[in-house]
């Protein structure tokens, strides 16, 4: 294949030989080049067109991650606050228990009749001792929560010990309070003793199951020991009567009252006024019929009347 070049000024022509592969090269240039340009333009338009959509997607992902991190931080902060509140509450409870232990200790000192200058809960106990030989050895401090737990356990042990001690002392105190002693009248005289006597109504020999104390009508009748009122009302032969259970099988009765001042189930202490002297029931005049029962049977009240109070 040749290419003829004509010169119009000089009037001659020139023939240029063309290699055989040039037509294919030119065809490749005119066909492949536009194709490459089109593909490049398409890729450019595709990536440039997707960029605005890709950027918001990545932004949304970063925003989601940021929200998750903020949520995790918020949960961690809330957990820390809850643990701090729990720790504060635990310390407050420990402090309250310490106050209670101090009050209980002071009460035990009072009950046990120990001098306040000998055992004072309001002062810090003295501590000391020689320096230990292994003072320089390393010591690992326990964690704060572990120390708080150990203190709570120690407080619990102290509370149990003090509760047991208080119960023992309270039992002794109750035993002292239920100790029967004295007369049921602060003013009056013994008008009839326990045992055989002439019945004031029939004149026959009869067994008197209690002791009579004569006094003015309306004179206060007092309990001779602490206990629980088991009866307060009218009983045949006794008139208006009060019965008090003192425990350990001991019961006292106070009969012929003018007025009853206690109710069944009421707790009375030694010296409490429970009734007033009267003339109710089988009686010849104002007095109180006083009985002491041991395991349900009347016994002579005089040993209880004359023994000293605890």
């Amino acid at each position: 294949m040749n290419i003829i070049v004509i010169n119009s000024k000089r009037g001659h022509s020139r023939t240029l030989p063309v290699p055989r592969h040039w037509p294919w090269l030119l065809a490749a240039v005119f066909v492949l080049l536009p194709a490459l340009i089109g593909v490049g333009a398409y890729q450019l338009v595709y990536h440039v067109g997707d960029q605005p959509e890709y950027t918001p997607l990545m932004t949304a992902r970063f925003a989601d991650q940021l929200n998750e991190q903020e949520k995790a931080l918020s949960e961690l902060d809330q957990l820390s606050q809850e643990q701090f509140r729990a720790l504060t509450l635990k310390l407050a409870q420990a402090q309250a228990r310490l106050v209670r232990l101090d009050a209980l200790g002071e009460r035990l000192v009072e009950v046990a009749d120990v001098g306040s200058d000998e055992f004072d809960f309001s002062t810090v106990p003295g501590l000391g001792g020689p320096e230990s030989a292994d003072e320089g050895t390393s010591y690992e401090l326990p964690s704060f929560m572990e120390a708080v737990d150990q203190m709570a356990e120690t407080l619990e042990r102290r509370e149990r010990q003090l509760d047991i001690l208080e119960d023992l002392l309270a039992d002794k105190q109750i035993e002292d309070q239920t100790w029967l002693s004295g007369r049921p009248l602060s003013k009056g005289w013994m008008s009839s003793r326990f045992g055989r006597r002439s019945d004031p109504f029939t004149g026959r020999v009869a067994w008197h199951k209690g002791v009579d104390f004569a006094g003015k009508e309306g004179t206060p009748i007092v309990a001779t020991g602490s206990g629980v009122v088991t009866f307060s009302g009218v009983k045949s032969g006794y008139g208006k009567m009060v019965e008090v259970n003192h425990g350990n099988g001991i019961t006292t009765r106070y009969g012929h009252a003018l007025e009853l001042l206690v109710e069944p189930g009421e707790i009375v202490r030694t010296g409490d006024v429970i009734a007033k002297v009267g003339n109710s029931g089988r009686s010849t005049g104002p007095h109180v019929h006083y009985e002491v029962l041991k395991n349900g049977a009347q016994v002579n009240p005089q040993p209880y009347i004359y023994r000293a109070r605890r």
Side-chain angles (χ1 to χ4, degrees):
M1 182 178 179
N2 296 324
I3 297 175
I4 300 174
V5 180
I6 299 174
N7 190 340
S8 58
K9 292 181 179 181
R10 295 181 179 183
H12 61 84
S13 62
R14 184 178 178 183
T15 301
L16 298 175
V18 178
R20 293 182 179 182
H21 61 274
W22 273 41
W24 297 102
L25 180 61
L26 292 175
V29 169
F30 287 107
V31 174
L32 291 178
L33 184 60
L36 292 175
I37 293 173
V39 170
Y42 173 78
Q43 292 293 330
L44 181 63
V45 172
Y46 175 79
H47 286 289
V48 172
D50 281 356
Q51 188 66 25
E53 296 179 1
Y54 178 74
T55 301
L57 180 62
M58 291 298 297
T59 304
R61 289 181 180 176
F62 286 133
D64 291 341
Q65 292 178 358
L66 183 61
N67 290 334
E68 290 178 359
Q69 293 175 355
E70 290 179 351
K71 184 178 179 181
L73 288 175
S74 177
E75 291 177 354
L76 181 61
D77 181 64
Q78 183 178 0
L79 180 61
S80 300
Q81 291 180 3
E82 290 177 355
Q83 291 179 347
F84 181 76
R85 284 194 296 267
L87 179 60
T88 303
L89 179 61
K90 201 165 187 179
L91 287 175
Q93 290 175 347
Q95 185 178 8
R97 291 168 69 181
L98 280 174
V99 173
R100 178 180 178 275
L101 288 177
D102 288 342
L104 181 58
E106 292 174 0
R107 171 175 168 76
L108 293 180
V109 168
E110 180 181 354
V111 171
D113 197 20
V114 179
S116 59
D117 55 346
E118 180 180 351
F119 200 88
D120 189 359
F121 273 85
S122 61
T123 60
V124 179
L127 301 174
E131 185 178 0
S132 176
D134 54 353
E135 188 72 24
T137 59
S138 61
Y139 173 72
E140 183 178 354
L141 291 173
S143 66
F144 186 68
M145 289 300 298
E146 183 180 352
V148 172
D149 291 338
Q150 290 178 356
M151 182 178 65
E153 292 177 1
T154 303
L155 285 174
E156 188 174 354
R157 288 196 300 269
R158 295 292 183 271
E159 283 181 336
R160 287 199 299 267
Q161 293 170 350
L162 286 175
D163 285 339
I164 292 172
L165 181 58
E166 184 184 30
D167 290 341
L168 293 174
L169 293 176
D171 289 342
K172 183 179 182 302
Q173 189 177 26
I174 290 174
E175 183 181 352
D176 292 342
Q177 290 177 352
T178 56
W179 178 266
L180 292 185
S181 61
R183 308 185 329 164
L185 294 181
S186 57
K187 294 181 180 180
W189 63 95
M190 186 181 296
S191 57
S192 180
R193 297 181 181 274
F194 177 85
R196 292 183 181 275
R197 70 169 185 175
S198 295
D199 188 280
F201 289 94
T202 65
R204 298 176 182 176
V205 177
W207 187 264
H208 191 217
K209 298 180 179 180
V211 174
D212 292 337
F213 286 91
K216 279 187 177 183
E217 190 172 81
T219 301
I221 300 173
V222 298
T224 57
S226 299
V228 179
V229 177
T230 54
F231 181 86
S232 180
V234 178
K235 188 176 181 65
S236 177
Y238 293 88
K240 294 181 179 180
M241 186 197 78
V242 174
E243 183 178 272
V244 179
N245 189 331
H246 304 278
N248 297 323
I250 303 296
T251 303
T252 55
R253 289 177 178 173
Y254 312 81
H256 308 303
L258 171 68
E259 182 181 358
L260 305 177
L261 304 179
V262 292
E263 298 290 337
E266 190 172 339
I267 297 176
V268 295
R269 298 185 181 276
T270 303
D272 287 353
V273 178
I274 58 176
K276 293 183 179 180
V277 171
N279 190 28
S280 60
R282 194 171 183 268
S283 172
T284 61
H287 75 287
V288 57
H289 174 77
Y290 177 61
E291 288 184 5
V292 175
L293 292 83
K294 191 171 184 179
N295 298 322
Q298 285 90 349
V299 296
N300 190 355
Q302 289 183 209
Y304 298 95
I305 294 172
Y306 294 117
R307 69 180 177 179
R309 293 188 183 276
R310 285 185 176 179

